[in-house]
Amino acid sequence: MLSKDWQRDASYLNHHISQRFHLLEPVTVCEAADQLTAGHASTLHGHPGQLKRDYPGAVVLSTDDFFIENGVYMFEPDFLEDAHKWNQKRARKAMKNGKSPVIIDNTNIHAWEMKPYVMMARENRYEVVFQEPDTPWKFNVQELTRRNTHHVPRQKIQRMKEQYEHNVTFHSVLQSEKPSRAEKQ
């Protein structure tokens, strides 16, 4: 059973306990025939900073950006759903405009949290790559508590670690469902 605050707390968490995924070049039918099968997904492992080095021209989109005012992070839990919709709208626009790569930099503890982005990637013929950090402390609650930038309490990080879905795939994300409010409480 998830707490009412779980989704809000998940948005705070430093990205070292998160699954990140980025969307690469749009794939045309003729390119896909040689290189990809329908529903192709790759899981990569690397430090979050590596994406910016590997893809310096990337469009990096985070729901946390919604809460930044004049360079200061000001989280408002009542606006979290609006923030997610806002970020999804930005991702949809970037994909429709053929931007590449598009990196969705959210906590993504559960597969269902990635589903809107994976669905729009499929609609826009993007390859989806899921990436977890490879730091030796990525599941070390004490170290994550020390390093997180939004002052998430240790108990909440522990809960997120316990709820973290490992080995997500393109198909597991598409088949995932957001739990109802009753299931979260």
Side-chain angles (χ1 to χ4, degrees), residues 118-138:
V118 170
M119 289 176 63
M120 65 181 82
R122 182 176 68 176
E123 290 165 12
N124 289 284
R125 306 177 78 130
Y126 276 69
E127 176 185 13
V128 177
V129 179
F130 300 96
Q131 182 170 358
E132 287 186 11
D134 67 354
T135 59
W137 45 267
K138 70 180 178 180

Side-chain angles (χ1 to χ4, degrees), residues 2 5-21 84 104-115 117 130-133 138-139 144 152 156-169 172-173 176-177 179:
L2 303 176
D5 296 331
W6 179 85
Q7 188 174 4
R8 177 187 68 201
D9 298 335
S11 75
Y12 285 144
L13 189 58
N14 180 287
H15 300 289
H16 290 288
I17 193 172
S18 66
Q19 293 187 24
R20 300 158 49 115
F21 66 97
H84 281 293
I104 307 302
D105 189 12
N106 286 341
T107 305
N108 298 318
I109 299 293
H110 292 105
W112 63 263
E113 296 169 306
M114 295 178 262
K115 188 173 183 176
Y117 299 104
F130 300 96
Q131 182 170 358
E132 287 186 11
K138 70 180 178 180
F139 295 114
L144 290 164
V152 180
K156 294 187 189 234
I157 293 174
Q158 179 65 44
R159 230 179 9 248
M160 288 181 206
K161 177 188 170 199
E162 291 165 3
Q163 297 167 357
Y164 183 81
E165 290 183 33
H166 297 270
N167 305 315
V168 296
T169 66
S172 70
V173 169
S176 65
E177 294 295 329

Side-chain angles (χ1 to χ4, degrees), residues 53-69:
R53 281 193 312 273
D54 291 350
Y55 304 103
V59 175
V60 180
L61 303 171
S62 173
T63 298
D64 279 340
D65 295 343
F66 182 87
F67 299 106
I68 297 175
E69 289 184 34

Side-chain angles (χ1 to χ4, degrees), residues 34-60:
D34 294 324
Q35 300 170 0
L36 303 173
T37 59
H40 173 78
S42 301
T43 301
L44 301 178
H45 301 283
H47 190 276
Q50 182 176 345
L51 287 176
K52 290 180 179 145
R53 281 193 312 273
D54 291 350
Y55 304 103
V59 175
V60 180

